Amino acid sequence: MGKPVEVNDSNFEEIVLQSKIPVLVDFWATWCAPCRMVAPVVEELAEEYDARVSFAKLDVDQSPKTASQYGIMSIPSLIIFKNGSPVSNLVGFRPKADLKRSLDEVLE
């Protein structure tokens, strides 16, 4: 893929939960300044982890059902899913090294 895909309430299960490889989902909103700070980091990681991890973005204002289902209370929230289940949850802006460490743990 090499680039995060937009997901929403209607396609979340198909794109994220049924994925054969781990998926990092960036829960965000247009009005969220820290979300805008994490977006370029997620895009860089999408290129670096191409074919090993998928990356998705879910706008919590447009898809409140899915955000609520995963208990998203603060954004940005980054959840890594593996085999349809959340395995890592990072809340707030995190340095790229923290995100890489979480991704590498999931890939081990």
Side-chain angles (χ1 to χ4, degrees), residues 10-36:
S10 62
N11 67 7
F12 187 84
E13 182 175 348
E14 176 189 345
I15 293 175
V16 177
L17 302 183
Q18 295 177 8
S19 177
K20 302 284 187 236
I21 61 174
V23 182
L24 181 145
V25 180
D26 177 7
F27 291 85
W28 71 289
T30 54
W31 49 264
C32 167
C35 297
R36 290 192 298 272

Side-chain angles (χ1 to χ4, degrees), residues 88-102:
S88 181
N89 189 347
L90 301 153
V91 179
F93 176 78
R94 296 291 179 89
K96 185 176 178 181
D98 285 4
L99 298 178
K100 285 182 73 126
R101 198 168 18 261
S102 294

Side-chain angles (χ1 to χ4, degrees), residues 14-101:
E14 176 189 345
I15 293 175
V16 177
L17 302 183
Q18 295 177 8
S19 177
K20 302 284 187 236
I21 61 174
V23 182
L24 181 145
V25 180
D26 177 7
F27 291 85
W28 71 289
T30 54
W31 49 264
C32 167
C35 297
R36 290 192 298 272
M37 291 168 50
V38 81
V41 176
V42 170
E43 290 191 15
E44 285 176 29
L45 290 170
E47 288 183 23
E48 289 180 34
Y49 285 84
D50 189 29
R52 296 185 296 151
V53 178
S54 290
F55 290 79
K57 294 176 69 69
L58 183 132
D59 184 325
V60 297
D61 291 333
Q62 302 296 319
S63 298
K65 181 177 152 235
T66 302
S68 173
Q69 183 177 346
Y70 290 98
I72 303 302
M73 303 294 279
S74 300
I75 53 173
S77 282
L78 303 170
I79 299 180
I80 302 172
F81 290 82
K82 186 175 184 180
N83 299 322
S85 298
V87 294
S88 181
N89 189 347
L90 301 153
V91 179
F93 176 78
R94 296 291 179 89
K96 185 176 178 181
D98 285 4
L99 298 178
K100 285 182 73 126
R101 198 168 18 261

